[in-house]
Amino acid sequence: MNSMDTLEPRGSDRRLSSPAAQRNREPILAVLRSVLPSAGRVLEIASGSGEHAVYFARHLAPLCWQPTDPSETALASIAAWRETEALDNLAAPVRLDVMADWPPLPDLTAVVSINLLHISPWAASEALFAAAGRRLPVGGALVVYGPFRRHGEHTAPSNAAFDDQLRARDPRWGIRDLEAVERLAEDTDLKCEAVHELPANNLCVVWRR
């Protein structure tokens, strides 16, 4: 069963904790290891609590991990996790709204987006792919994780129920059709390289520029 990324406070600690991040980090890491280079800079969109950023930076060193988020609360959490873990390859978090102008972020090797497309308006998906198509170098990867519909159908009853929850919370949200997202990618010179089926009826999709 998928869930919305609920961030839980840790007492007076600024570090937030996401149960979803704890559950899915291992299978996502396995995909990242197979598609990312050994060095360079990875931009993570909507890093949330920062737990993924810490975990991936630790296990993918010396690759530099650049976390971002539009939320001040999330940015504070990411900064607190970074201070606690003291990883040389984890950059300070940057405020970034995927639908606004992105700040200067040179020398990107890859872009990673986890659980964003279904918890945001369709315009966020359009903005993500447009920016990735412009910012990634030739050969750079865009890696997207989350639930998807395939050929107009949900892949599991739990995903259908989750989709209903999302749309009830915000009618602009919802599980996206993979084929519609692939059309966005084609319009920005990103080619689908692989579709990985991960636990809890989620996919990790890799596009390459």
Side-chain angles (χ1 to χ4, degrees), residues 29 32 42 44 50-67 82 85-91:
L29 176 62
L32 294 177
V42 178
E44 183 186 6
E51 292 166 290
H52 276 146
V54 167
Y55 190 76
F56 297 149
R58 181 187 303 124
H59 289 279
L60 296 171
L63 199 65
C64 181
W65 200 268
Q66 175 63 70
R82 180 173 179 264
E85 298 294 327
L87 298 171
D88 291 340
N89 64 321
L90 179 59

Side-chain angles (χ1 to χ4, degrees), residues 49-172:
S49 67
E51 292 166 290
H52 276 146
V54 167
Y55 190 76
F56 297 149
R58 181 187 303 124
H59 289 279
L60 296 171
L63 199 65
C64 181
W65 200 268
Q66 175 63 70
T68 71
D69 205 275
S71 162
E72 293 300 328
T73 300
L75 292 172
S77 176
I78 298 164
W81 278 108
R82 180 173 179 264
E83 181 179 355
T84 299
E85 298 294 327
L87 298 171
D88 291 340
N89 64 321
L90 179 59
V94 172
R95 189 180 188 281
L96 186 152
D97 181 340
V98 72
M99 292 190 290
D101 290 336
W102 290 19
L105 295 164
D107 303 323
L108 294 182
T109 302
V111 175
V112 173
S113 174
I114 298 171
N115 285 333
L116 169 69
L117 301 193
H118 57 290
I119 312 179
S120 63
W122 177 246
S125 299
E126 296 174 324
L128 172 66
F129 279 83
R134 292 192 306 270
R135 298 295 188 97
L136 285 172
V138 174
L142 170 62
V143 183
V144 176
Y145 168 89
F148 289 90
R149 289 159 51 105
R150 304 192 78 172
H151 309 294
E153 300 291 337
H154 286 292
T155 59
S158 59
N159 277 13
F162 181 45
D163 193 31
D164 289 341
Q165 294 173 23
L166 290 168
R167 295 178 189 278
R169 181 167 171 178
D170 189 324
R172 301 174 302 165

Side-chain angles (χ1 to χ4, degrees), residues 2-3 103 172:
N2 288 292
S3 62
R172 301 174 302 165

